[in-house]
Amino acid sequence: MNIVKVKDKNNCFLVNEILSVPKDLGNTDYKEVLKWIENGGIVEPEFTLSEAIFKKLENLDNYHFNDIEIRQCKINNYFILQLSGEGRSLIQEQISLLLQKIKLNLITEEDASFEYFYNGGSIEISLVQLRQIYVAMLDIVNSNYQNYKAETYTIKNLSTVEAVESHDFTVNYLKNQNITL
């Protein structure tokens, strides 16, 4: 076998960008790779620094943008709402409708509420509670966005493949947060 290039891929070597050689002393191709290394061949890491950064940023994007923002909301100790992108739209819609009714003098701000139906039950959610839920959701979303920006900067400035691969960008993300009123 004519070996020109070898990349280390954890449990195997990639030889000449074509042949995957398991790291097994019983494998004759593996013995040839070891001999090539012994004769001065340099094994490259699986990814270059720029490839590792690109891959890590891609993983960060997937993690961040696939967070469907599922949050549980509890009012008076009753689970009432699974807040996802749709839940956030529901909250925005209800706030808007209640504010329109107030503007038209159909209701007062103190009386502004809507009945939310869930699992065979219902609960009155006031405008104040809706606003509290919405602000809490926005705080979580904003925190995650700020974290996304900071992590993007950090990853782009890591200086070794090992640092990139070992960097955990999920640490400061707010996932599965509950909002309780």
Side-chain angles (χ1 to χ4, degrees):
M1 169 172 37
N2 181 28
I3 300 175
V4 177
K5 181 178 182 180
V6 175
K7 281 189 173 186
D8 189 349
K9 296 188 71 147
N10 292 332
N11 60 347
C12 68
F13 286 116
L14 181 61
V15 178
N16 300 334
E17 300 288 338
I18 298 172
L19 179 64
S20 182
V21 178
K23 293 179 180 176
D24 176 6
L25 287 174
N27 184 310
T28 56
D29 289 335
Y30 179 65
K31 290 177 184 176
E32 283 189 51
V33 170
L34 292 178
K35 187 175 180 180
W36 178 80
I37 294 168
E38 190 178 289
N39 290 330
I42 298 176
V43 177
E44 298 175 8
E46 182 175 8
F47 299 105
T48 65
L49 179 58
S50 60
E51 289 171 333
I53 288 172
F54 179 81
K55 181 180 172 190
K56 186 64 82 166
L57 289 172
E58 191 173 58
N59 291 341
L60 172 62
D61 283 352
N62 287 334
Y63 186 83
H64 179 76
F65 293 111
N66 289 325
D67 173 15
I68 58 172
E69 302 164 26
I70 293 180
R71 317 282 182 246
Q72 289 186 355
C73 180
K74 295 179 182 181
I75 296 178
N76 301 332
N77 292 322
Y78 293 102
F79 165 73
I80 63 143
L81 190 57
Q82 193 82 0
L83 300 172
S84 63
E86 291 174 7
R88 191 167 65 201
S89 296
L90 170 72
I91 299 294
Q92 288 172 310
E93 182 181 307
Q94 290 303 320
I95 289 172
S96 179
L97 288 172
L98 291 174
L99 290 175
Q100 286 175 10
K101 288 180 180 180
I102 291 168
K103 187 176 182 180
L104 295 171
N105 293 319
L106 298 174
I107 57 174
T108 64
E109 189 160 338
E110 295 78 32
D111 295 331
S113 67
F114 85 104
E115 190 170 13
Y116 179 75
F117 295 92
Y118 66 98
N119 295 339
S122 68
I123 188 170
E124 283 289 318
I125 303 175
S126 72
L127 178 59
V128 170
Q129 290 171 318
L130 283 171
R131 286 178 172 159
Q132 289 171 335
I133 294 167
Y134 190 69
V135 166
M137 284 189 328
L138 289 181
D139 285 346
I140 292 168
V141 170
N142 186 51
S143 175
N144 282 346
Y145 179 70
Q146 295 303 321
N147 189 61
Y148 170 77
K149 287 182 359 184
E151 288 297 331
T152 298
Y153 177 81
T154 298
I155 292 166
K156 285 181 177 180
N157 288 288
L158 293 171
S159 59
T160 66
V161 171
E162 295 77 20
V164 173
E165 289 177 347
S166 67
H167 182 71
D168 183 5
F169 56 76
T170 65
V171 172
N172 294 315
Y173 263 86
L174 301 175
K175 289 281 199 167
N176 303 317
Q177 297 293 304
N178 293 326
I179 299 167
T180 304
L181 303 180

